[in-house]
Amino acid sequence: MRVSARQVGEFVETVLAATGADRVDLVGHSQGGLVPLYFINHLGGESKVGTMIGVAPATNGISAYGILHFLAAHSQAKDAVGKVIPAVDDGTAGSAFVTETGEGGMTRPGVEYATVSSRHDLVVQLSESQLPPGPNVSNVVVQDFCPENLTNHGTMVYDDITLRIVRNLLDPETAVAPACHPVAPLP
């Protein structure tokens, strides 16, 4: 994930140079909600990011309901899973990467932050996705806008209600209330 954070930084530099903007807004899903925090907190991104939104983010690392902590205690199983899903080592709650990302606090004063999470996410629990409360932090739960929306980790990026919430967070001056309707937990 450190390599990914550096790549995010390189892309941010490219966008800033091409647009002449002072800052960019970042929106990331899952580990894409954790990697930008490392960029902001440790690679100079604090002065380059205006808003950072994580959708179903692995902000505090994930435990997979305790499975990842079990794997961490059994090196052969951990190595086998790590070969298939390399992000598991960095993305596990309590990992060196997650701990380092949070050094000095998970947020910085000059950046606006938001998380958009679902109570029906079976990959990232609410406590794993949300940032600590602060004046520049909004932790949004989709079901607070629409209780019958059953969107989950994999479907949030396709869900029109989630996308409306993200658009509203990016541009609050033109915010439009999401149109609530039932959403099945299927793609």
Side-chain angles (χ1 to χ4, degrees), residues 139-172:
N139 290 307
V140 179
V141 178
V142 172
Q143 289 74 31
D144 289 346
F145 288 91
C146 186
E148 57 265 31
N149 183 327
L150 304 180
T151 192
N152 61 40
H153 195 77
T155 60
M156 288 186 79
V157 295
Y158 304 105
D159 175 42
D160 64 303
I161 297 168
T162 300
L163 296 176
R164 171 46 54 198
I165 292 168
V166 169
R167 290 178 70 180
N168 288 347
L169 289 164
L170 287 170
D171 189 5

Side-chain angles (χ1 to χ4, degrees), residues 25-46:
D25 294 335
L26 299 175
V27 178
H29 175 255
S30 195
Q31 84 178 40
L34 173 58
V35 169
L37 293 174
Y38 188 89
F39 165 66
I40 292 166
N41 294 350
H42 298 290
L43 301 178
E46 179 179 1

Side-chain angles (χ1 to χ4, degrees), residues 75-131:
S75 63
Q76 288 180 326
K78 178 181 174 239
D79 292 345
V81 171
K83 287 179 182 171
V84 177
I85 310 170
V88 167
D89 284 341
D90 284 346
T92 299
S95 71
F97 180 80
V98 172
T99 301
E100 186 179 341
T101 299
E103 287 175 359
M106 286 299 258
T107 62
R108 300 297 184 261
V111 180
E112 293 295 318
Y113 298 88
T115 64
V116 182
S117 308
S118 173
R119 287 189 180 91
H120 300 282
D121 191 327
L122 298 177
V123 176
V124 181
Q125 300 171 49
L126 286 180
S127 62
E128 295 170 336
S129 69
Q130 295 182 332
L131 286 160

Side-chain angles (χ1 to χ4, degrees), residues 9 11-24 47-49:
F11 185 70
V12 166
E13 291 296 335
T14 300
V15 170
L16 292 174
T19 64
D22 293 328
R23 291 178 176 256
V24 299
S47 65
K48 299 170 185 169
V49 176

